Amino acid sequence: PEVLDYDYMQWIVGFANSCANALATASALNSVHLGAGGCALPSFFAHRWGGRTTAVEKDAALAKLVRQVFDPPVSIKTADARTFAHALPPASVHVIVRDVFAGPSTPSGLTTVEFYQAVHRALHPGGLFVANVGDYPGLSETRAELSGLREIFRFTAVAGPVARLMGREYGNVVIAASDPPLAFNPAAAGLRLS
């Protein structure tokens, strides 16, 4: 659980590590992962920071397969990500990770100001929202998401390769939002690159 092969996962951990350090009074980091996939990232969070780690996957067959094959040390819930986020109790989690795709894009219901309000309400004071965004040259999706997030959160940031951040190529970038200032340092997370 300490090896993350994908760069976007390393960037997410780079933001989460800084959040965990800032919330040093918390005995463990409670996280919700919207979009479970194979549960590599939720398993990393559970292993690294303990706490309650919940992975939310809409595809019931995939969730069942992941439980049977990998048996990750996380709670796996079969649910719609937007519905699940809106139902979270206030101030109940430290980090919410959104890694949900329908083809190459994030479903539009997970990119609205209303969704960001639900996420903000669910975060513990000082908490972090971080999202994997697949974007095209020009970064229209990333720009739109940052605009919406800035209506709700005090600080936002983006991580990715320079060419992608300059809007010259398709690929993943990671956006982060929080009320306290954000820090990003994946090396400080002690990641072992594969």
Side-chain angles (χ1 to χ4, degrees):
E2 284 290 317
V3 177
L4 297 174
D5 289 327
Y6 295 105
D7 52 6
Y8 80 87
M9 290 183 177
Q10 296 166 16
W11 304 330
I12 289 170
V13 170
F15 284 116
N17 187 66
S18 298
C19 176
N21 290 339
L23 295 170
T25 57
S27 59
L29 202 65
N30 295 329
S31 63
V32 168
H33 300 258
L34 303 172
C39 283
L41 192 58
S43 295
F44 181 96
F45 270 67
H47 183 261
R48 176 63 62 96
W49 293 295
R52 214 175 43 249
T53 304
T54 303
V56 180
E57 177 55 53
K58 187 174 185 175
D59 184 334
L62 177 59
K64 182 178 179 182
L65 179 67
V66 167
R67 177 57 70 205
Q68 290 172 343
V69 173
F70 301 117
D71 195 23
V74 303
S75 172
I76 301 176
K77 304 290 185 187
T78 302
D80 173 75
R82 181 180 171 93
T83 303
F84 192 90
H86 279 268
L88 286 167
S92 59
V93 294
H94 298 101
V95 178
I96 296 176
V97 176
R98 189 200 70 209
D99 189 10
V100 179
F101 287 88
S105 302
T106 299
S108 62
L110 300 176
T111 64
T112 65
V113 170
E114 293 78 17
F115 172 74
Y116 302 142
Q117 287 170 332
V119 164
H120 187 266
R121 181 184 52 79
L123 287 172
H124 186 276
L128 171 72
F129 172 69
V130 62
N132 181 18
V133 179
D135 212 347
Y136 294 90
L139 298 175
S140 62
E141 297 295 325
T142 301
R143 293 175 196 280
E145 288 212 46
L146 287 170
S147 177
L149 285 165
R150 288 179 182 135
E151 291 186 34
I152 309 301
F153 292 91
R154 290 187 62 214
F155 296 94
T156 60
V158 182
V162 172
R164 206 164 299 148
L165 294 177
M166 297 294 290
R168 295 194 298 252
E169 64 183 27
Y170 172 81
N172 297 80
V173 298
V174 168
I175 57 175
S178 185
D179 286 333
L182 290 159
F184 175 73
N185 186 353
L191 289 172
R192 289 191 315 230
L193 305 177
S194 63

